[in-house]
């Protein structure tokens, strides 16, 4: 009986090894000389910095680029990005501390904060840090911020997160235009703003509208930016708000197998046609877009085996280290980095699969631990490294570190 796979698991050919930059190959082969099986991320801070500079250069001066720390919170990557972004978006106290910690490199960084269930301790930390904007998710959260601000003797700057009724954008992960835990439904915005104005300790500065993610179409994303600005201007005028801040979230997509990359130059050209009122900052919060291609996840092949006519490469790692391909149903292709040394012991076989299709699986006791199905490889042997490019975002941070208690993946910075 043949197994039927979803379209995202259609057969493909593994990348040639030279898709891996030479410094990455060199670092991984160094790691392979160690006593422990390799399971690690390698990051290149210069790649992330270059992507940030490219986006910053494409946008008009009124647009601000804030890095969403959740995408990759490795301190070396945050420091590499710090000189090339206008601030950071955080969603926890630990991310706040990380963002504030780069102050020695760029002065006091601007910070905006998001999250649908911010606790009192989190809100207290944000108020005390005097962040640029707390994106408030509900009337109750506004009351909590107000109470904390009054107790601290300060005024908290707040942007109301809105779940719009409809948005002119495509994308694989919609976070607006439908019932959601995120933000205030658009029809309720006037009443919530009216109630918020009566609360002490709040400075209502604008709106946060993060309504979609992974959009690869520059034209529709520019239309979304325009819509966010125009909606915010209209709503602020209708409700008596002094608009100073419009946060459109992230949402720029990352291309995978066969997809056309986001056209940054085109997006910049169209964004330049938008004219926010003087004194209104428009914030973009890219995360994945800035760091996806700055990271590689590599895991040593601990075994190669055939089962009922199908080949499997079993890794020292898996969704406990790199869950993104499975949870997001992404075809995340690999390259096989040969490791010539084989020190398993005298007489110990070195199994290999050659010129055939292989399914790449991890070390966990569940069939869900499958990272890539039915990929054609020229050769993969026990002891070689399977390497996933474009693993710089939602990789280490998004994994199931504690399941079965295996060691977590290491992290290494090239530059």
């Amino acid at each position: 009986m043949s197994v039927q796979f979803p379209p995202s698991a259609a057969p493909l050919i593994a990348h040639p090894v030279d898709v891996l930059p030479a410094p990455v190959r060199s670092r991984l082969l160094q790691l392979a000389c160690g006593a422990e099986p390799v399971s690690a991320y390698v990051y290149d801070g210069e790649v992330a910095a270059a992507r940030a500079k490219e986006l910053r250069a494409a946008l008009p001066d009124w647009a601000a680029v804030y890095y969403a720390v959740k995408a990759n919170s490795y301190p070396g990557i945050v420091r590499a990005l710090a000189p090339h972004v206008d601030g950071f978006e955080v969603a926890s106290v630990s991310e706040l501390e990380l963002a504030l910690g780069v102050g020695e490199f760029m002065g006091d960084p601007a910070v905006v904060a998001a999250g649908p269930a911010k606790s009192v301790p989190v809100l207290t930390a944000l108020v005390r840090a005097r962040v640029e904007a707390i994106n408030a998710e509900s009337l109750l959260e506004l009351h909590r911020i107000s109470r904390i601000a009054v107790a601290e003797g300060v005024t908290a700057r707040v942007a109301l997160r809105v779940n719009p009724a409809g948005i002119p954008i495509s994308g694989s992960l919609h976070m607006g235009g439908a019932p959601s835990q995120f933000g205030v439904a658009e029809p309720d915005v006037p009443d919530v703003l009216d109630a918020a104005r009566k609360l002490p300790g709040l400075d209502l500065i604008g709106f946060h509208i993060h309504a979609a993610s992974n959009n690869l179409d520059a034209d529709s994303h520019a239309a979304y930016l325009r819509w966010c600005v125009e909606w915010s201007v209209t709503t602020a005028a209708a409700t008596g708000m002094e608009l100073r801040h419009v946060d459109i979230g992230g949402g720029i997509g990352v291309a995978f197998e066969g997809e056309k990359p986001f056209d940054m130059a085109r997006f910049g050209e169209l964004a330049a046609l938008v004219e926010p009122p003087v004194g209104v900052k428009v914030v973009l919060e890219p995360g994945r877009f800035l760091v996806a291609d700055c990271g590689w996840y590599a895991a040593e092949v601990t075994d190669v085996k055939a089962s009922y006519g199908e080949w499997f490469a079993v890794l020292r790692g898996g969704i406990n280290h790199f869950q993104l391909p499975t949870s997001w149903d992404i075809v995340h292709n690999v390259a096989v980095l040969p490791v010539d040394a084989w020190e398993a012991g005298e007489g110990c076989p070195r199994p290999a699969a050659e010129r055939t299709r292989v399914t790449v699986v991890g070390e966990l006791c569940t069939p869900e631990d499958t990272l890539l199905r039915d990929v054609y490889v020229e050769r993969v042997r026990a002891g070689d490294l399977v390497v996933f490019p474009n693993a710089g975002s939602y990789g280490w941070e998004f994994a199931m570190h504690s399941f079965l208690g295996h060691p977590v993946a290491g992290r290494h910075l090239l530059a």
Side-chain angles (χ1 to χ4, degrees):
M1 178 178 177
S2 63
V3 178
Q4 298 297 314
F5 298 127
S8 63
L12 73 158
I13 299 173
H15 293 306
V17 71
D18 59 9
V19 78
L20 307 175
V24 173
R25 298 199 301 269
S26 177
R27 177 62 67 86
L28 290 174
L29 290 175
Q30 289 175 0
L31 294 174
C33 294
E36 297 296 324
V38 174
S39 189
Y41 286 88
V42 172
Y43 302 126
D44 190 335
E46 292 182 356
V47 172
R51 178 57 61 90
K53 287 189 287 187
E54 186 181 4
L55 178 59
R56 176 64 275 172
L59 292 171
D61 291 341
W62 48 255
V65 176
Y66 283 41
Y67 171 56
V69 176
K70 65 177 69 66
N72 185 324
S73 61
Y74 189 61
I77 291 299
V78 177
R79 287 194 294 267
L81 285 168
H84 310 292
V85 296
D86 300 295
F88 298 96
E89 184 268 339
V90 303
S92 67
V93 172
S94 62
E95 288 187 359
L96 172 66
E97 292 172 345
L98 178 59
L100 296 178
V102 304
E104 61 182 290
F105 299 92
M106 59 176 291
D108 293 333
V111 174
V112 298
K118 292 185 283 294
S119 66
V120 169
V122 170
L123 291 171
T124 301
L126 295 171
V127 171
R128 288 176 176 170
R130 307 296 299 274
V131 299
E132 182 177 349
I134 302 173
N135 296 324
E137 298 272 347
S138 68
L139 182 57
L140 175 57
E141 189 166 287
L142 286 164
H143 274 269
R144 285 175 172 152
I145 298 169
S146 171
R147 179 165 53 85
I148 294 166
V150 170
E152 294 289 325
V154 300
T155 299
R157 292 180 291 270
V158 174
L160 186 67
R161 182 167 184 175
V162 177
N163 178 357
I167 53 173
I169 190 172
S170 60
S172 65
L173 179 60
H174 285 268
M175 300 171 71
S180 169
Q181 71 267 41
F182 299 106
V184 174
E186 184 177 344
D188 299 330
V189 167
D191 289 341
V192 171
L193 287 177
D194 185 60
R197 271 191 291 270
K198 300 179 176 69
L199 296 175
L202 299 184
D203 179 13
L204 292 169
I205 64 173
F207 300 102
H208 176 220
I209 311 171
H210 181 51
S213 293
N214 203 35
N215 183 29
L216 289 169
D217 183 72
D219 286 49
S220 70
H221 210 69
Y224 169 66
L225 186 157
R226 176 184 293 276
W227 181 88
C228 288
V229 171
E230 292 177 348
W231 183 93
S232 298
V233 170
T234 300
T235 304
T239 57
M241 173 191 286
E242 180 190 352
L243 183 67
R244 285 163 279 157
H245 180 95
V246 178
D247 185 340
I248 76 164
I252 302 176
V254 175
F256 279 82
E257 295 295 312
E259 293 180 316
K260 183 179 178 180
F262 186 83
D263 189 336
M264 205 182 314
R266 172 68 174 171
F267 178 61
E269 292 172 2
L270 295 173
L273 301 178
V274 180
E275 297 183 1
V278 176
V280 174
K281 177 189 283 190
V282 179
V283 174
L284 288 75
E285 297 176 7
R288 186 175 176 222
F289 180 72
L290 295 186
V291 295
D293 59 352
C294 83
W296 297 260
Y297 170 63
E300 184 170 322
V301 179
T302 60
D303 203 353
V304 176
K305 57 199 295 187
S307 177
Y308 294 101
E310 295 187 19
W311 283 95
F312 294 83
V314 186
L315 305 184
R316 203 271 100 177
I319 59 174
N320 53 328
H321 294 167
F322 189 46
Q323 190 181 1
L324 189 65
T326 300
S327 60
W328 284 16
D329 194 21
I330 294 173
V331 180
H332 206 128
N333 204 356
V334 299
V336 177
L337 179 59
V339 177
D340 292 333
W342 175 247
E343 301 177 358
E346 184 177 354
C348 186
R350 187 175 191 182
E354 298 187 10
R355 299 182 180 85
T356 188
R357 300 197 177 277
V358 172
T359 292
V360 180
V361 300
E363 62 188 343
L364 303 182
C365 300
T366 169
E368 296 298 319
D369 193 11
T370 300
L371 300 183
L372 183 63
R373 297 183 187 273
D374 202 24
V375 58
Y376 178 88
V377 297
E378 284 294 318
R379 184 179 70 174
V380 60
R381 303 168 296 180
D384 288 340
L385 302 182
V386 169
V387 186
F388 293 81
N390 295 316
S393 66
Y394 297 110
W396 192 93
E397 291 74 13
F398 199 56
M400 302 170 60
H401 296 296
S402 297
F403 187 50
L404 294 192
H406 289 298
V408 299
R411 293 184 288 178
H412 308 270
L413 190 67
L414 289 179

